[in-house]
Amino acid sequence: MSFPGGLRLSGHGLVLREWGDGDLPAMVELFDDPEVAYWTPLVSPFDLNAAQVYLKRARERRTAGQRVQLAITVDGRDPMGEVLLMLTGPGLDVAEIGYVVGAAHRGRPS
């Protein structure tokens, strides 16, 4: 399976878009959090180096057709978290969905 490049989804007040190099500082802010460390396999502490490795791996996995990782935004700009679709299983025939919402953005009314 391959995922289209330049993926951008919008609806219900959200815009999901691909991560970019300019998002590295926002990734640190969002993912360097004890709750994120507890519930996800992300490294902790999650610093700028960890963000660079994470983005590189995300791009590699996307190219391999294994995963799509999209920034959650309301305007297509400032990330509030991430949603990801992962293909798993022996033949990549099982799909899993995961998400992370940064601490500053949790509990907001929809």
Side-chain angles (χ1 to χ4, degrees):
M1 171 176 237
S2 66
F3 297 111
L7 188 58
R8 183 180 175 104
L9 305 170
S10 62
H12 301 284
L14 294 176
V15 177
L16 306 178
R17 62 156 177 84
E18 293 188 66
W19 290 105
D21 293 333
D23 293 320
L24 294 171
M27 289 175 142
V28 173
E29 183 179 326
L30 295 168
F31 300 153
D32 189 35
D33 173 346
E35 286 292 314
V36 172
Y38 180 79
W39 292 104
T40 73
L42 294 175
V43 300
S44 182
F46 194 93
D47 58 14
L48 189 56
N49 183 61
Q52 291 167 330
V53 170
Y54 186 76
L55 183 56
K56 180 179 183 278
R57 286 187 183 148
R59 289 173 172 162
E60 291 169 352
R61 290 174 176 155
R62 180 183 176 80
T63 299
Q66 299 170 335
R67 185 177 292 196
V68 174
Q69 295 169 244
L70 302 171
I72 301 169
T73 77
V74 293
D75 55 9
R77 293 186 297 269
D78 299 325
M80 301 183 312
E82 175 182 71
V83 64
L84 57 142
L85 170 66
M86 303 167 281
L87 298 178
T88 62
L92 299 179
D93 55 353
V94 176
E96 296 180 37
I97 296 175
Y99 69 93
V100 171
V101 174
H105 308 286
R106 294 179 198 142
R108 296 172 103 181
S110 53

